Amino acid sequence: MEEEVVLDENSVIEEFESITKSAAMVQNQTLARILQQNSSAEYLLDQGLAGRTDPQSFKACVPIVTHKELEPYIQRIADGQTSPILTTKQITTISLSSGTTQGKPKFVPFNEDLMENTLQIYHTSFAYRNRQYPLENGKSLMFIYSSKQFITKGGVAAGTATTNVFRNPKFKTGMKGILLKSCSPDEVIFGPDFHQSLYCHLLCGLLYREEIQFVFSTFAHSLVLAFRTFEHVWEELCTDIREGVLSSRVTAPSVRAAVSKLLKPNPELADLIYKKCSGLSNWYNLIPELFPNAKYIYGIMTGAMEPYVKKLRIYAGELPLVGHDYGASEGWIAANVNPTLPPELATFAVLPDIGYFEFIPMRESLYRYKLGDVVKVMGFHNSTPELKFVCRRNLMLSINIDKNTEKDLQLAVEEAEKVIASVKLEMVDFTSHIDLSTDPGHYVIFWEVNGKASEDILQECCNCLDKSFVDAGYISSRKVKGIGPLELRILEKGTFQKIVDHYVGLGSAVSQFKTPRYVGPMNSVVFQILCSNVVENYFSTAY
């Protein structure tokens, strides 16, 4: 019998409180440790640091770079070079970013230090979260999916960041003290087909509905996708439970065998779920009805995920939405130590010993690497900054003198959403594009709506979008016709699911997927999917 591992939450909190009281000193110690450990790495030798580990020498010698400048070094690692290129410790695994921003995944080195950082930040946020929402014995419903790793031509294992974490031997042992056992067998998590795995996650959750303590996925998008799917398959799930036979839609042998072992005819449970679902209005309070002992819903709900919070709240009812920690494929930055804050107000306390960070005014990390996130320092936890994620800096809608960020786009969409909400419709998802084939160029907003809206309503939405971009450069350019009328293109139902399927086909894990909020020329396949599924389009008459 396995020995039970219990996390000492008080010790974790005490340690975090201690290091954040002297964050500046800890940061300097962290930089010195990183530079000392990697002093023989080619990259640092090339910069002329000559073994120095102080912040002044580091900033004087090491330039600020983006992934593009580091790509040749990373490619050599992927090609199998074992000499210390970026780090002294050998890189044995490569993480792939989701690829939704630039149209193709980035290669990012992954090593055991990053795995240790993952466990540290998970332990830290759990300690604070469990203090507010203590879990009981039970299971968790986790919509997680591990895509396959592949081997680069140099013999290095490569996969999405989440896949590398889930497949790491330290994950299960390191998470035992904080992670309730998933209601789904491993075969579902590591299944070959996302749609089959999602169906089985839902089914397993229902089978263990009384035991579910929390619902999780990495991103809010995956949570909304899961319960939108439930809206379409709930009767089929009830049939599986009633008859004790798994749906024929699940064909992967390993997944089918593992889930079939859990099934036996249970007409009482099937009737209960059927009654609960039939009694819901617009699926409000779905999650608490299905899982009455769940304490919260957990996932990344800030930045690009914020548009999904509104729909998630419908499913969640009064159940708390708790924001996941702040990180990227490149590494972790900050933990959510204020779990009672709603997603819109969530802040993240920087772990001063997890990496070296500069605010100039953007956040940097190891070797002055520019990640490209715009954050706002909202305050301090002891002496460590508490950050609010604002947006990705590399999304910039710009034609003339206009400059609109991801956040500006999101705010404009939220205003226009109010128009379709007035006729009891909702937006499924959205993205944007700059069309320079016209003179002058103009903004294009792609929308998928969950039903049929009248032409008058959609025209009003289009005008509202155009008026809701309040950047002075945009408004003045529109008035003098330096930018053409905004175009709203309405998409066929299921278009954004086709985009998800496209990225999954490239090797992305669904739990790591982020809808690209801007589709540029580098993202030609996604642009083709969008354009080939347009059913209506409208041009603004707002100016």
Side-chain angles (χ1 to χ4, degrees):
M1 189 171 177
E2 281 189 15
E3 184 183 343
E4 188 179 356
V5 179
V6 179
L7 182 75
D8 187 342
E9 294 165 23
N10 290 332
S11 294
V12 172
I13 290 172
E14 283 173 17
E15 171 65 17
F16 182 75
E17 294 295 328
S18 173
I19 63 172
T20 56
K21 282 173 182 169
S22 49
M25 182 186 76
V26 174
Q27 274 281 275
N28 288 340
Q29 291 171 347
T30 301
L31 176 63
R33 171 172 52 81
I34 292 169
L35 296 180
Q36 205 164 18
Q37 286 176 353
N38 298 288
S39 58
S40 61
E42 176 188 326
Y43 183 78
L44 286 182
L45 290 172
D46 287 349
Q47 309 306 328
L49 261 180
R52 288 171 292 174
T53 61
D54 61 283
Q56 293 75 24
S57 300
F58 175 65
K59 292 175 184 179
C61 295
V62 180
I64 295 173
V65 296
T66 63
H67 184 272
K68 187 177 181 180
E69 284 81 39
L70 295 181
E71 226 170 329
Y73 296 92
I74 298 170
Q75 191 59 54
R76 285 167 55 199
I77 295 168
D79 290 344
Q81 288 191 30
T82 56
S83 60
I85 297 172
L86 286 173
T87 59
T88 300
K89 287 183 184 176
Q90 189 175 347
I91 302 291
T92 56
T93 312
I94 295 285
S95 284
L96 304 176
S97 70
S98 62
T100 51
T101 305
Q102 301 297 333
K104 63 175 184 177
K106 293 184 298 188
F107 276 16
V108 180
F110 182 97
N111 62 12
E112 289 306 306
D113 288 342
L114 185 51
M115 190 64 217
E116 292 294 337
N117 289 349
T118 300
L119 296 176
Q120 179 188 349
I121 207 160
Y122 280 11
H123 288 171
T124 302
S125 58
F126 176 82
Y128 284 90
R129 191 167 65 251
N130 211 46
R131 192 165 64 173
Q132 297 293 336
Y133 307 112
L135 300 178
E136 299 162 15
N137 289 331
K139 297 183 185 294
S140 56
L141 173 54
M142 298 193 291
F143 294 100
I144 54 178
Y145 314 89
S146 178
S147 58
K148 288 182 179 178
Q149 286 180 316
F150 66 92
I151 304 298
T152 68
K153 67 179 183 181
V156 180
T160 63
T162 48
T163 295
N164 291 337
V165 168
F166 297 151
R167 289 185 180 272
N168 191 292
K170 289 184 178 178
F171 180 72
K172 276 199 170 181
T173 54
M175 297 296 281
K176 272 182 186 172
I178 71 169
L179 193 63
L180 294 176
K181 185 174 174 60
S182 169
C183 62
S184 303
D186 283 353
E187 289 84 353
V188 173
I189 295 168
F190 295 98
D193 181 272
F194 149 69
H195 297 285
Q196 294 179 40
S197 289
L198 171 52
Y199 184 87
C200 290
H201 277 315
L202 290 168
L203 179 59
C204 293
L206 296 176
L207 294 176
Y208 294 105
R209 64 182 294 271
E210 296 280 352
E211 297 179 54
I212 300 301
Q213 291 289 299
F214 67 91
V215 179
F216 167 79
S217 191
T218 309
F219 288 125
H221 172 272
S222 301
L223 290 164
V224 170
L225 177 61
F227 290 103
R228 274 203 171 117
T229 301
F230 181 86
E231 290 183 36
H232 298 289
V233 302
W234 68 276
E235 291 178 287
E236 191 176 343
L237 289 164
C238 287
T239 301
D240 290 3
I241 294 167
R242 180 174 286 108
E243 298 176 357
V245 178
L246 184 58
S247 166
S248 59
R249 71 166 64 221
V250 181
T251 57
S254 60
V255 178
R256 189 168 185 86
V259 177
S260 293
K261 286 178 186 175
L262 306 177
L263 272 173
K264 59 183 179 183
N266 192 339
E268 285 183 10
L269 177 59
D271 289 344
L272 176 66
I273 294 165
Y274 194 95
K275 185 179 178 182
K276 286 188 175 296
C277 291
S278 300
L280 292 174
S281 172
N282 196 31
W283 299 101
Y284 179 79
N285 209 43
L286 171 64
I287 296 174
E289 288 289 341
L290 294 180
F291 313 110
N293 295 310
K295 307 296 188 295
Y296 53 81
I297 299 163
Y298 185 48
I300 294 172
M301 301 181 193
T302 51
M305 294 299 117
E306 204 170 307
Y308 305 107
V309 169
K310 184 179 177 183
K311 181 65 175 177
L312 195 52
R313 278 214 173 91
I314 292 173
Y315 293 133
E318 297 301 313
L319 205 59
L321 302 182
V322 181
H324 201 344
D325 305 306
Y326 175 32
S329 300
E330 290 84 353
W332 290 102
I333 299 125
N336 183 357
V337 298
N338 298 303
T340 58
L341 289 175
E344 297 88 345
L345 301 176
T347 59
F348 306 92
V350 173
L351 273 74
D353 63 340
I354 212 166
Y356 184 70
F357 306 106
E358 296 178 63
F359 298 84
I360 355 180
M362 288 197 318
R363 194 196 54 72
E364 319 295 335
S365 66
L366 175 62
Y367 301 163
R368 310 197 81 198
Y369 175 90
K370 187 183 290 185
L371 191 62
D373 289 355
V374 177
V375 297
K376 186 176 182 180
V377 178
M378 302 298 291
F380 292 85
H381 184 99
N382 296 322
S383 65
T384 198
E386 284 191 330
L387 309 178
K388 178 176 174 60
F389 182 90
V390 178
C391 64
R392 293 284 294 167
R393 193 171 189 268
N394 56 4
L395 168 63
M396 190 71 75
L397 293 172
S398 182
I399 295 173
N400 198 315
I401 57 171
D402 52 311
K403 287 181 174 59
N404 281 299
T405 66
E406 178 180 358
K407 188 67 176 177
D408 297 320
L409 171 63
Q410 183 182 316
L411 291 171
V413 168
E414 285 174 2
E415 282 302 308
E417 262 192 294
K418 294 173 185 176
V419 178
I420 56 166
S422 68
V423 291
K424 303 289 189 285
L425 291 175
E426 64 182 48
M427 186 193 61
V428 174
D429 219 332
F430 68 94
T431 189
S432 65
H433 174 70
I434 294 289
D435 188 348
L436 297 177
S437 66
T438 59
D439 186 19
H442 66 281
Y443 289 13
V444 178
I445 310 297
F446 292 94
W447 266 23
E448 184 180 329
V449 182
N450 71 340
K452 178 70 176 171
S454 69
E455 290 184 7
D456 288 348
I457 287 291
L458 291 174
Q459 184 62 58
E460 189 179 343
C461 287
C462 183
N463 290 351
C464 183
L465 280 166
D466 203 4
K467 288 186 292 185
S468 297
F469 284 105
V470 295
D471 168 65
Y474 182 78
I475 294 171
S476 60
S477 295
R478 282 288 286 117
K479 285 180 176 177
V480 300
K481 296 184 170 48
I483 296 176
L486 180 144
E487 181 182 2
L488 174 62
R489 298 183 188 177
I490 304 300
L491 299 168
E492 190 174 355
K493 191 176 178 181
T495 300
F496 280 97
Q497 183 57 53
K498 292 177 183 177
I499 293 171
V500 173
D501 292 342
H502 163 68
Y503 282 108
V504 170
L506 294 177
S508 290
V510 174
S511 48
Q512 196 175 322
F513 176 80
K514 299 188 288 286
T515 299
R517 292 299 177 214
Y518 171 73
V519 178
M522 296 288 288
N523 223 339
S524 57
V525 176
V526 171
F527 187 60
Q528 282 180 338
I529 293 171
L530 291 166
C531 291
S532 61
N533 285 276
V534 173
V535 291
E536 297 176 80
N537 70 317
Y538 298 85
F539 285 93
S540 168
T541 56
Y543 290 91

